[in-house]
Amino acid sequence: MDLTLNPEHKAFADEVRAFAERHLSPATRAKTFSGKHYDRADHVEWQQALGRQGWLAYTWPKKYGGPGWDVTRRFLFENVLAEEGAPRIIPFGVKMVGPVIYTFGSDEQKERFLPGIRTSEVQWCQGYSEPGAGSDLANLRTRAVREGDHYIVNGQKTWTSFAHWADWIFCLVRTDPDAKPQEGISFLLIDMKTPGVTVRPIVMLDGAHHVNDVFFDNVKVPVANRIGKEGEGWTCAKFLLANERLGIAEVPASKRGVRSLRDIARAEPQDGRTLADDPAFAAKIADIDLQVQALEMSELRALSTMALGGAPGPEVSTLKIRGSEIQQRIAELAMEAVGEYAQPYQPGMLFQNTNETPVGPDHAPPAAPRYFNMRKTSIYGGSNEIQKNIVSKMVLGL
Ligand SMILES: Cc1cc2nc3c(=O)[nH]c(=O)nc-3n(C[C@H](O)[C@H](O)[C@H](O)COP(=O)(O)OP(=O)(O)OC[C@H]3O[C@@H](n4cnc5c(N)ncnc54)[C@H](O)[C@@H]3O)c2cc1C
């Protein structure tokens, strides 16, 4: 693997940096570096700026309006934007349902749905999990009954990230309760404004509202909104999950996390020394830094296989496992670094601009909420236990 950048790639990285300097609002950038929560407008404004530039759908082939970048450009794009403090692109449209639509959808569906995803005019959420169907996704029970040219949908989805911000939801629904579990499932696109759709917030341990329950009560959905054939939704579901796991390692964000950990450790000197001068803590930072670099190399290996025409295989599960463990470790170390200042819960510092004086240094209030929030990384996108099952079976052949 040749990791040196040629002059064109260097010029490309400069172009991305200049774009972020021009289009990323200082307020959004400040939220990233101070660990504050974004609101919907922060994401939409940034994603629409990328969309206008033709860069939001950066992993899509040119044929469907993507920029047609090589793997190195994609890698540089993600890394430069993370360094610049850009919010992560919400994946449900551009990284999840978009590729499903251009791979399995009809020409009419591509024409109807892809432009709004590419420009971020339309926001999406993912309706896979249900109260009785998480790891065992094929057990899902949300029922769609065909009546003429519509389905009538009844059931419940749960843990639906950003459903309260979304215009549309893509759902796995059961169209045939008598078929084998995986064979009776279809993939439906549902307008969130349809009568009978209700969103109920789930507030997480850190006080943030990102996830929701979504209820369907006799929701009328045109058959024209089904992607692929009836009963073949599981094929779309698996294709989407492989893409989801590939992007979930969040290496650029972890690199930024290590830099910010170093900054925290260098702050607050006492008697002329900081935490960064403590050999034991410095060794912990060096250790996590090396783990991030090793993960980055593994991710690059997977990407270069894909660049040669390969598809993401079961080995992407290892990236998901290590990526989530690393994100959790960085959050743990940040909490350790701020020490007792992690104790007070200061929601005003996280959710809105406040003129309250924080207890402790400015970087302290997000540490504990982030630590708790990061528990999610080993659960979502398929829990780490499930990923280990996949690795043992499909990679190690056990
Ligand atoms: C913050 C967050 C956001 C999410 N966003 C979305 C979203 O937008 N859309 C969506 O559809 N879903 C979403 N999810 C749901 C997520 O995909 C599920 O939580 C996940 O698949 C686990 O399912 P479960 O919660 O039902 O746990 P369960 O499947 O009930 O698992 C419980 C525990 O048992 C373990 N376990 C289960 N089966 C096995 C097995 N065979 N071998 C070993 N261990 C096993 C699991 O690892 C876990 O530790 C989100 C979850 C979180 C936490």
Side-chain angles (χ1 to χ4, degrees):
M1 211 166 27
D2 181 6
L3 295 175
T4 46
L5 294 182
N6 64 32
E8 278 147 52
H9 284 138
K10 280 196 187 126
F12 172 76
D14 291 342
E15 189 188 352
V16 174
R17 202 174 297 284
F19 177 85
E21 276 161 15
R22 268 199 318 280
H23 295 280
L24 182 60
S25 87
T28 304
R29 192 189 293 260
K31 283 185 183 176
T32 307
F33 289 118
S34 63
K36 280 202 175 125
H37 289 265
Y38 309 111
D39 48 37
R40 185 181 193 273
D42 299 325
H43 283 285
V44 171
E45 187 186 296
W46 170 238
Q47 293 190 177
Q48 291 188 351
L50 288 172
R52 282 191 294 277
Q53 181 76 1
W55 285 358
L56 180 62
Y58 68 101
T59 52
W60 294 14
K62 261 195 162 148
K63 187 172 169 197
Y64 300 117
W69 288 340
D70 59 16
V71 168
T72 311
R73 278 183 170 76
R74 288 187 201 176
F75 169 80
L76 290 170
F77 178 72
E78 291 170 357
N79 276 273
V80 170
L81 292 187
E83 282 165 20
E84 289 294 313
R88 113 186 212 274
I89 293 171
I90 296 183
F92 304 111
V94 83
K95 294 209 174 152
M96 294 191 189
V97 75
V100 167
I101 294 171
Y102 66 62
T103 307
F104 301 101
S106 64
D107 288 343
E108 291 76 26
Q109 289 169 333
K110 289 176 201 167
E111 222 166 275
R112 181 171 167 212
F113 292 108
L114 295 182
I117 298 174
R118 238 174 13 227
T119 56
S120 202
E121 294 297 324
V122 180
Q123 313 308 322
W124 287 81
C125 62
Q126 177 187 27
Y128 273 27
S129 306
E130 298 183 5
S135 305
D136 186 9
L137 187 57
N139 194 35
L140 63 93
R141 285 167 205 276
T142 294
R143 186 79 170 92
V145 177
R146 179 112 184 221
E147 282 187 9
D149 55 2
H150 282 81
Y151 289 105
I152 304 298
V153 179
N154 281 287
Q156 180 191 349
K157 296 292 172 182
T158 192
W159 303 120
T160 321
S161 302
F162 302 125
H164 54 308
W165 290 355
D167 304 299
W168 283 75
I169 182 168
F170 56 88
C171 277
L172 294 177
V173 294
R174 187 158 299 286
T175 37
D176 183 354
D178 301 322
K180 282 190 195 155
Q182 282 90 342
E183 287 171 12
I185 292 172
S186 301
F187 194 100
L188 276 192
L189 312 181
I190 304 179
D191 185 338
M192 293 293 279
K193 289 186 295 303
T194 320
V197 178
T198 312
V199 176
R200 186 174 72 186
I202 302 174
V203 175
M204 303 286 274
L205 208 52
D206 61 350
H209 171 206
H210 290 152
V211 288
N212 305 272
D213 286 312
V214 180
F215 299 91
F216 300 95
D217 180 13
N218 286 321
V219 175
K220 210 172 161 193
V221 182
V223 171
N225 290 8
R226 190 190 67 223
I227 303 292
K229 294 200 180 114
E230 186 170 290
E232 293 188 358
W234 195 247
T235 309
C236 302
K238 281 192 303 184
F239 168 85
L240 185 146
L241 285 173
N243 282 333
E244 181 179 359
R245 279 166 201 159
L246 185 67
I248 220 165
E250 299 280 357
V251 176
S254 286
K255 284 160 82 177
R256 189 173 63 210
V258 172
R259 276 194 299 276
S260 122
L261 189 58
R262 283 211 167 86
D263 291 341
I264 295 175
R266 286 194 200 108
E268 305 290 307
Q270 278 187 0
D271 303 327
R273 283 171 60 80
T274 66
L275 192 57
D277 299 317
D278 169 18
F281 198 79
K284 289 179 187 174
I285 299 183
D287 179 57
I288 194 68
D289 195 353
L290 286 174
Q291 289 188 44
V292 174
Q293 289 182 42
L295 179 66
E296 183 169 49
M297 288 303 129
S298 304
E299 191 176 63
L300 284 170
R301 256 206 320 263
L303 289 174
S304 56
T305 309
M306 284 172 66
L308 298 172
E315 65 281 0
V316 294
S317 292
T318 59
L319 302 178
K320 198 270 163 174
I321 296 168
R322 291 301 293 136
S324 54
E325 288 170 348
I326 285 171
Q327 289 174 77
Q328 291 179 344
R329 179 68 181 145
I330 293 170
E332 268 166 35
L333 289 174
M335 182 121 132
E336 192 178 327
V338 300
E340 69 272 25
Y341 291 128
Q343 296 268 0
Y345 176 54
Q346 305 177 71
M349 303 294 154
L350 303 173
F351 299 111
Q352 69 262 340
N353 290 323
T354 171
N355 52 11
E356 279 170 49
T357 312
V359 180
D362 280 355
H363 54 247
R370 188 165 174 75
Y371 168 84
F372 290 119
N373 185 278
M374 284 294 109
R375 302 299 96 200
K376 70 186 178 189
T377 62
S378 46
I379 302 171
Y380 64 23
S383 73
N384 281 15
E385 289 77 21
I386 294 297
Q387 303 310 314
K388 284 176 187 168
N389 286 351
I390 294 172
V391 171
S392 68
K393 211 162 134 189
M394 316 266 295
V395 181
L396 302 174
L398 298 174

